[in-house]
Amino acid sequence: MIILNGEQTANMAGKTLAELLQEKTDMMQNVVVELNGKIMHREELANQTLSENDHVELISFVGGG
């Protein structure tokens, strides 16, 4: 199990951050991914595999006016 935005999420260990992002959000371009307190660069997402007990935060930016 991983912790995603503060909630336990099953069946994610072994997947990449890119796969997680695809499953969890439609706005991939406007999301910053933080893994265990470290902000991940876009080019790292496809190569970074999730492990049990990882903490992931998906932070999205919304524009408006």
Side-chain angles (χ1 to χ4, degrees):
M1 219 172 270
I2 67 163
I3 307 299
L4 176 60
N5 293 343
E7 296 184 15
Q8 291 185 348
T9 305
N11 303 321
M12 288 292 158
K15 293 187 178 188
T16 66
L17 283 172
E19 291 170 325
L20 171 87
L21 200 55
Q22 267 186 325
E23 287 184 29
K24 297 297 180 183
T25 183
D26 295 330
M27 301 176 64
M28 288 179 61
Q29 301 301 352
N30 298 331
V31 175
V32 172
V33 180
E34 182 181 288
L35 175 63
N36 299 321
K38 178 187 174 215
I39 295 194
M40 305 300 292
H41 295 278
R42 284 250 168 235
E43 56 273 3
E44 297 176 294
L45 300 181
N47 297 322
Q48 181 64 53
T49 303
L50 292 165
S51 299
E52 290 291 329
N53 301 314
D54 275 346
H55 289 257
V56 179
E57 294 289 328
L58 300 180
I59 305 160
S60 60
F61 296 93
V62 179

